[in-house]
């Protein structure tokens, strides 16, 4: 029987405008719900590690343990290795992997962590089952995902309304679930977990610098990333519509009253001992 493979396409790709946000992520701003559960000796698997900034933070938090970062894209792991080397971390390694078929024995890790992963996979319940397989009895599976339908902003913007509608259509056409945050607890229950702590967290962009950064990366992503290519090729938007969405992002970024909040669902699931 063939190994299960992901049937979804990663919506964002790895354009510079995407990595601009991925490299901003830290354990403090993206995994605070997990940090109190970490202990210095732990062995951690970080799934979908991307450029490795969260992975490196986790390695610093388990100085007597080890962190393995995995991603499906070999090229992005070069960035992750450079991140770890630049911080002088010796307790970290990286490998290519698919969350639906992890190449690790049962009961290997103390913690399996996935940030913004389950929204992009074809079968999140199967992914959680595989994460559960490789974590030790008593160990933790931690997942955090944005919920696009719950994102909110001020002032009102028809252009950003169009962006949200477009993004959700493209993500679903790619096989993902953009409103994953609200579904994490349900998916964990379907994966057989009974000890689940569900929470939520936010990113907020409100200062002039934050607005310029957030609006700029989304404007660029709308025009030049793999997401933009998939919007065009899938017939979801033409060049004119994409330019209008990008301009709406840039206009919102100049608004002194501008405020944008990204809601994330979070789960900590403990494997039965």
């Amino acid at each position: 029987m063939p190994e299960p493979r992901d049937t979804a396409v990663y919506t964002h790709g790895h354009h510079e405008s995407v990595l601009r946000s991925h490299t901003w992520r830290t354990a403090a701003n993206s995994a605070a719900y997990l940090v109190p559960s970490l202990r210095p000796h732990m062995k951690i698997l970080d799934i979908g590690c991307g450029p490795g900034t969260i992975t490196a933070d986790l390695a610093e938090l388990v100085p007597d343990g080890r962190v393995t970062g995995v991603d499906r894209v070999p090229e992005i792991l070069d960035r992750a290795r450079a991140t770890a080397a630049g911080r002088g971390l010796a307790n970290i390694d990286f490998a290519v992997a698919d969350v639906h078929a992890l190449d690790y024995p049962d009961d290997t890790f103390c913690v399996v962590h996935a940030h913004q992963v389950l929204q992009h996979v074809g079968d999140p319940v199967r992914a959680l089952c595989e994460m559960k397989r490789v974590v030790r009895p008593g160990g933790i599976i931690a997942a955090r995902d944005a919920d696009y339908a719950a994102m909110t902003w001020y002032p009102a913007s028809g252009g950003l309304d169009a962006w949200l509608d477009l993004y959700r259509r493209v993500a679903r056409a790619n096989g993902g679930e953009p409103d994953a945050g609200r579904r994490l607890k349900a998916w964990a229950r379907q994966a057989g977990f009974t000890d689940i702590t569900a929470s939520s967290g936010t990113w907020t962009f409100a200062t002039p610098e934050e607005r310029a950064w957030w609006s700029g990366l989304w404007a660029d992503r709308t025009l030049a990333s793999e997401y933009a290519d998939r919007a065009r090729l899938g017939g979801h938007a033409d060049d004119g519509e994409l330019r209008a969405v990008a301009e709406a992002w840039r206009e919102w970024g100049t608004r002194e009253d501008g405020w944008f909040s990204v809601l994330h669902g979070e789960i900590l699931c403990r494997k039965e001992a």
Side-chain angles (χ1 to χ4, degrees):
M1 183 175 179
E3 290 185 342
R5 306 298 294 178
D6 192 1
T7 57
V9 175
Y10 180 49
T11 296
H12 296 290
H14 293 90
H15 183 264
E16 181 278 330
S17 60
V18 177
L19 295 180
R20 205 183 309 165
S21 69
H22 289 186
T23 55
W24 166 82
R25 298 171 183 174
T26 65
N29 67 30
S30 299
Y33 72 107
L34 169 63
V35 169
S37 299
L38 299 181
R39 300 294 180 266
H41 68 279
M42 283 181 162
K43 186 176 183 180
I44 300 174
L45 178 65
D46 187 23
I47 294 174
C49 67
T53 51
I54 297 176
T55 323
D57 283 353
L58 294 176
E60 290 182 341
L61 291 167
V62 292
D64 302 322
R66 189 161 192 86
V67 178
T68 298
V70 298
D71 203 284
R72 291 187 63 187
V73 180
E75 293 76 17
I76 198 62
L77 294 177
D78 293 336
R79 291 283 298 266
R81 292 184 182 99
T83 297
R87 292 168 64 167
L89 295 168
N91 64 331
I92 191 168
D93 59 89
F94 297 94
V96 176
D98 175 5
V99 67
H100 294 84
L102 295 168
D103 191 22
Y104 298 101
D106 295 358
D107 307 336
T108 298
F109 299 95
C110 304
V111 175
V112 179
H113 169 259
H115 184 264
Q116 312 292 10
V117 171
L118 296 180
Q119 65 184 282
H120 296 296
V121 303
D123 192 338
V125 175
R126 177 184 280 176
L128 282 164
C129 288
E130 184 68 349
M131 293 161 70
K132 180 168 66 172
R133 181 185 67 79
V134 301
V135 82
R136 296 170 182 171
I140 294 170
I141 289 85
R144 186 178 199 250
D145 272 274
D147 193 299
Y148 276 77
M151 294 184 188
T152 190
W153 57 84
Y154 185 85
S157 167
L160 293 193
D161 290 340
W163 159 75
L164 182 56
D165 175 70
L166 173 63
Y167 179 83
R168 292 172 78 214
R169 285 188 284 116
V170 172
R172 289 198 170 116
N174 287 338
E177 175 46 72
D179 304 339
R182 69 188 67 190
R183 291 171 164 83
L184 293 181
K185 180 182 176 183
W187 288 341
R189 292 184 68 247
Q190 291 173 51
F193 289 103
T194 57
D195 186 346
I196 306 167
T197 300
S199 59
S200 62
T202 60
W203 293 333
T204 302
F205 307 100
T207 68
E209 296 78 16
E210 290 166 348
R211 292 196 314 271
W213 180 77
W214 185 243
S215 63
L217 69 86
W218 268 108
D220 292 344
R221 194 179 299 189
T222 299
L223 293 175
S225 70
E226 292 177 40
Y227 156 65
D229 293 338
R230 290 174 181 131
R232 296 185 189 96
L233 292 173
H236 304 289
D238 59 28
D239 286 344
E241 290 168 318
L242 292 174
R243 285 194 296 270
V245 168
E247 181 55 35
W249 269 113
R250 295 194 187 281
E251 194 278 333
W252 173 84
T254 67
R255 301 294 293 269
E256 292 186 5
D257 293 332
W259 176 91
F260 197 107
S261 183
V262 179
L263 177 69
H264 301 86
E266 303 163 341
I267 50 171
L268 292 175
C269 307
R270 193 170 293 277
K271 183 175 177 178
E272 293 183 4

